[in-house]
Amino acid sequence: MPQGKLIYLDNNATTQVDNEVLQAMLPYFTEHYGNASSALHPFGWRAAEAVKIAREQTASILAATPEEIYFTASATESINIALLGLYAQCKSKRNKIVVIKTEHKAVIETCIYLQSLGAEIFFLDVNREGLIDLKELEQVVDDKTIAVCAMWANNETGVLHPIGTIAHIAHRFGAFVICDTTQAIGKVRVDVSEAGVDIACVSAHKLYGPKGVGAIYVRRKNPRVTLPTYIHGGGQENKLRAGTLNVPGIVGMGKACEIANTNLWNYGSQMSKLRTALEQVLCTHHHAFVNGSMRNRLPNTSNLCLKALAIRKKISGMSHIAVSTGAACSSALSEPSHVLMAMGLNREEAINSIRFSFGKFNTMDDVFLVTDFFDKIKKEA
Ligand code: PLP
């Protein structure tokens, strides 16, 4: 373990649980431990009421209605429910799924699995900014397309996709829009109705909530979207996903959404100040460059190529600064990021790129400590 202060700049991988969230959850482990499906006594009623409130809070961050929210165990599970469910339901009439090459592995790997079942998966290219060509999208979506799968914000670069326009194109051909909003909620305003999203996937641990809880939004009106049962059993979550509800986790997710929604603007401007300060130093003193669009990105994420410092070789000396070289689930691999490679970086640029992702608990002192570290390794070189 490194000595001294550890600086956490890996908030797109996961976040510290907010104390207010933890306090909201605790009574549901001990005092109010009822099963939310127990309809005959106050223990059950109390748990069901807590889930009801959490459903409203979670709906609110997406500008959805509570009836459109189903709790799951993760965004990965929500993505599986969406893709596998729509494919099973539509495959006799439609067979194609259009997906952006820089989607999270939860989407890519599920699509590759569907390909093995006979689905046609079209992977959309991105440009150097990480953005798709909307004309290409218009050409590949057709009346055989089940869904276009596009993330609101990319987890590695923070790049924001024009979901409203993507949805407009998809809907012209009767295709659904599945949107992974995992990294966007709590960082930018997300309105699934306004954007025309049909299914959205979210996770609690990216916004100061607990791990092991997620949700899926399924549109109820204009059009009503239905999904087949994903987990069979006691019929919980309106028969979509059976299993006793994780009440403390769900309460935590709801609270985390409520706090994030109320403070959206404050957190965003606080994080973008820190990000700007970091980029100013690293880009001017260390010849770093930003990977991805500078105009359309999350306020907290900075993916920087630090080739000039040959940072990959020095990363082991950086263990007191928690950053990432890709998505958390693949950053242990030595392979360059599929996102950066899809954006046209060469292998050397990709492996010398680092994702810094700020969170609401970071301060300017963290930025100073990081920039001091980079100044030091430059001097030592
Ligand atoms: N989608 C995106 C964009 C993510 O960043 C992540 C987490 O890394 C996931 C999906 C998966 O989320 P979970 O950890 O809840 O499965």
Side-chain angles (χ1 to χ4, degrees):
M1 280 293 283
Q3 303 291 307
K5 185 173 189 262
L6 296 178
I7 305 158
Y8 191 75
L9 292 180
D10 203 12
N11 288 277
N12 285 10
T14 196
T15 55
Q16 177 185 341
V17 173
D18 189 317
N19 191 41
E20 219 184 308
V21 169
L22 179 66
Q23 294 311 319
M25 292 170 69
L26 286 177
Y28 292 91
F29 287 104
T30 50
E31 242 177 294
H32 311 307
Y33 48 82
N35 184 325
S37 305
S38 298
L40 296 181
H41 52 71
F43 289 90
W45 302 336
R46 179 83 195 223
E49 179 61 20
V51 170
K52 178 174 172 275
I53 294 169
R55 208 182 294 283
E56 288 162 3
Q57 292 163 323
T58 306
S60 187
I61 206 165
L62 293 164
T65 64
E67 299 72 34
E68 294 174 312
I69 301 296
Y70 302 81
F71 290 110
T72 64
S74 59
T76 300
E77 187 183 280
S78 304
I79 289 164
N80 273 263
I81 293 177
L83 284 165
L84 302 183
L86 278 186
Y87 179 68
Q89 203 156 261
C90 304
K91 68 179 180 197
S92 60
K93 298 201 181 82
R94 292 174 179 236
N95 192 40
K96 193 198 266 187
I97 295 173
V98 177
V99 47
I100 305 179
K101 263 191 189 163
T102 53
E103 292 290 305
H104 190 271
K105 291 277 176 181
V107 168
I108 304 278
E109 291 300 320
T110 310
C111 284
I112 290 172
Y113 169 67
L114 287 177
Q115 211 167 23
S116 76
L117 299 186
E120 183 194 342
I121 308 292
F122 189 94
F123 289 99
L124 281 171
D125 283 325
V126 293
N127 62 17
R128 187 74 188 202
E129 293 204 302
L131 293 164
I132 60 165
D133 177 353
L134 292 165
K135 292 213 178 66
E136 187 190 12
L137 178 68
E138 263 178 328
Q139 279 158 12
V140 296
V141 182
D142 56 19
D143 59 7
K144 289 281 166 225
T145 306
I146 299 171
V148 175
C149 194
M151 66 204 319
W152 198 290
N154 184 274
N155 46 305
E156 293 191 32
T157 57
V159 167
L160 298 164
H161 291 289
I163 298 298
T165 315
I166 292 173
H168 188 70
I169 296 171
H171 291 163
R172 271 186 8 225
F173 297 91
F176 294 110
V177 174
I178 303 173
C179 184
D180 179 359
T181 54
T182 306
Q183 291 292 347
I185 58 161
K187 296 178 187 133
V188 289
R189 185 175 156 266
V190 173
D191 183 328
V192 284
S193 331
E194 191 183 271
V197 170
D198 298 299
I199 298 179
C201 304
V202 291
S203 185
H205 73 102
K206 307 287 184 181
L207 74 165
Y208 317 97
K211 294 170 185 56
V213 197
I216 180 167
Y217 153 84
V218 186
R219 178 181 281 276
R220 278 221 149 197
K221 267 204 255 165
N222 308 319
R224 185 187 178 106
V225 181
T226 54
L227 287 172
T229 299
Y230 180 73
I231 298 182
H232 300 264
Q236 288 92 343
E237 294 304 88
N238 211 5
K239 299 203 172 81
L240 181 67
R241 179 191 187 264
T244 300
L245 293 184
N246 169 7
V247 179
I250 289 170
V251 167
M253 173 155 200
K255 192 70 192 169
C257 288
E258 184 194 63
I259 298 170
N261 214 8
T262 320
N263 297 289
L264 192 61
W265 196 85
N266 285 347
Y267 292 163
S269 63
Q270 178 193 329
M271 291 188 289
S272 76
K273 270 190 206 128
L274 302 182
R275 197 232 339 241
T276 305
L278 177 81
E279 287 185 352
Q280 251 162 16
V281 175
L282 294 188
C283 296
T284 46
H285 297 180
H286 302 293
H287 308 290
F289 62 82
V290 174
N291 294 319
S293 168
M294 298 276 286
R295 276 168 300 127
N296 304 306
R297 67 176 165 152
L298 292 173
N300 80 315
T301 308
S302 181
N303 194 310
L304 292 176
C305 178
L306 285 150
K307 193 176 71 165
L309 281 181
I311 196 64
R312 188 60 166 207
K313 291 200 193 106
K314 292 159 191 153
I315 212 139
S316 54
M318 242 180 102
S319 53
H320 62 299
I321 305 172
V323 289
S324 167
T325 51
C329 40
S330 36
S331 64
L333 309 172
S334 53
E335 279 307 296
S337 139
H338 77 283
V339 172
L340 299 181
M341 295 300 279
M343 286 162 59
L345 274 75
N346 63 37
R347 201 183 151 83
E348 197 200 347
E349 289 167 335
I351 62 171
N352 280 294
S353 291
I354 290 187
R355 176 186 73 184
F356 299 88
S357 50
F358 290 93
K360 66 177 178 178
F361 299 120
N362 289 119
T363 64
M364 202 51 95
D365 273 352
D366 296 334
V367 174
F368 294 147
L369 287 166
V370 173
T371 52
D372 282 353
F373 169 80
F374 280 99
D375 289 343
K376 197 168 135 244
I377 57 171
K378 189 180 178 186
K379 275 191 204 123
E380 282 168 4

